[in-house]
Amino acid sequence: MTTPLSILDLATALPGQSTRDAILESVRLAQKAEETGRFERIWFAEHHNMRTIASAATSVLIGHVLSATTSIRVGAGGVMLPNHSPLVIAEQFGTLAELHPGRVDLGLGRAPGTDQQTWAALRRDPRASDRFPQDVQELQGYLSEHTLVPGIHAYPGWGTRVPLYILGSSTFGAQLAAALGLPYAFASHFAPDALHEAMRLYRERFQPSEQLAQPHAIAALNVIAADDAAEAEELHQQVLRLRVRAMAGRRGADLTDEQVEEAMGTAFGLQVQHMMSRTAVGTRDEVARYLEDFRAETGADELMVTNAIPGLERRERALEILATV
């Protein structure tokens, strides 16, 4: 398969794992991905008030991974723009682009990346999401030489033209990306329902821009690859249970192992499993077939995979398997 592959890493801290160790593992995986030469980019996502995710300070983590690698593109998948001023994000990613030219991506999301109580702690205006299209354009202006705010410039940032990507799990982001002529990434790794409609709207309504002459659509999915099919399925079940535990934690529940098992068959557990329905599980050949079918089904120009297998050695091996696809 010649379709470009990329990686979405949530810098996940497993039960009993420290934040430091989770970050060090993400650095090692980025280095492994770069060593294979197969992956276009690695992105980190902004989430807040989630103890299992260590990428809250997204630009800081991206800078650290950029410094630990030499060629792979590293970026945000994404920065939740309603949580920030466009000027500050332009300064942060402009700094990264000056330090690591040609290697920085900036994916932008409209959701807060957290719950309403945490959003209040971030001191954000609940109406900020309504300004997302305007904020994207303001940010784009700061990163070019054409600021939309008279007299205000991003230093660093001015003239870096850090490429912007619109992220989404609904048709809103698809239509915005099309209207602005930006690449679009759909989060089908956790929100698969609107995938086909979003991809269709994006391609139908795309308007060429200075950044992009033709539409570029990225579809995300989960991949659980191993040398043995039975091992891959066992890892799949582990990942599902970890996801149920993490999602319950977001709701304030700290489940025991027994409670996780009980939850798997409940409406909540089935909902979590549905969220992960776009998952390739199996050996190299089985994963390759799934990815090719998924690409053909979605028409994606690029696939972005999560690699949520527990254990560094197994995650490294999964990357080695993916690199041969």
Side-chain angles (χ1 to χ4, degrees), residues 18-39:
S18 69
T19 298
R20 173 181 170 79
D21 285 344
I23 291 173
L24 291 176
E25 189 169 299
S26 287
V27 171
R28 177 57 198 143
L29 289 167
Q31 293 170 333
K32 169 62 77 172
E34 182 175 80
E35 288 168 9
T36 69
R38 177 66 175 93
F39 300 95

Side-chain angles (χ1 to χ4, degrees), residues 247-317:
M247 294 297 293
R250 291 188 66 175
R251 300 184 177 190
D254 189 5
L255 302 184
T256 65
D257 291 343
E258 292 76 14
Q259 289 172 324
V260 169
E261 288 299 325
E262 292 174 3
M264 291 297 290
T266 66
F268 169 70
L270 294 173
Q271 178 191 13
V272 173
Q273 292 177 66
H274 172 70
M275 291 170 63
M276 291 193 65
S277 59
R278 294 298 192 166
T279 301
V281 181
T283 62
R284 185 265 179 207
D285 290 344
E286 290 168 329
V287 166
R289 283 194 297 272
Y290 189 103
L291 294 183
E292 182 56 39
D293 290 345
F294 183 72
R295 186 211 60 77
E297 174 192 343
T298 61
D301 303 291
E302 180 178 339
L303 300 181
M304 180 162 282
V305 305
T306 72
N307 179 21
I309 296 171
L312 178 58
E313 290 186 4
R314 284 173 167 168
R315 293 179 77 189
E316 287 184 308
R317 179 57 188 149

Side-chain angles (χ1 to χ4, degrees), residues 103-115:
R103 295 184 57 210
V104 179
D105 295 332
L106 178 48
L108 302 167
R110 182 173 65 123
T114 189
D115 56 78

Side-chain angles (χ1 to χ4, degrees), residues 9-28 44 47 49-57 60-61 64-65 315:
D9 189 339
L10 297 179
T12 303
L14 297 173
Q17 186 179 35
S18 69
T19 298
R20 173 181 170 79
D21 285 344
I23 291 173
L24 291 176
E25 189 169 299
S26 287
V27 171
R28 177 57 198 143
F44 296 92
H47 291 276
N49 196 30
M50 295 186 68
R51 68 182 176 191
T52 59
I53 295 180
S55 54
V60 177
L61 180 57
H64 183 61
V65 174
R315 293 179 77 189

Side-chain angles (χ1 to χ4, degrees), residues 87-154:
L87 178 60
V88 169
I89 295 302
E91 292 168 342
Q92 290 177 0
F93 281 81
T95 300
L96 294 171
E98 293 287 1
L99 292 171
H100 307 278
R103 295 184 57 210
V104 179
D105 295 332
L106 178 48
L108 302 167
R110 182 173 65 123
T114 189
D115 56 78
Q116 293 298 317
Q117 185 177 4
T118 306
W119 207 21
L122 290 167
R123 302 296 193 269
R124 303 311 299 161
D125 181 347
R127 296 165 296 181
S129 293
D130 297 336
R131 299 192 298 270
F132 181 65
Q134 293 77 20
D135 285 350
V136 170
Q137 292 175 294
E138 182 180 336
L139 173 59
Q140 191 173 40
Y142 290 137
L143 294 170
S144 68
E145 295 94 355
H146 309 291
T147 179
L148 300 184
V149 185
I152 305 298
H153 303 277

Side-chain angles (χ1 to χ4, degrees), residues 230-250:
E231 179 189 3
E233 183 52 41
E234 180 183 346
L235 292 171
H236 181 209
Q237 294 304 315
Q238 290 180 31
V239 170
L240 287 174
R241 283 158 175 75
L242 286 169
R243 188 63 57 88
V244 166
R245 186 188 298 277
M247 294 297 293
R250 291 188 66 175

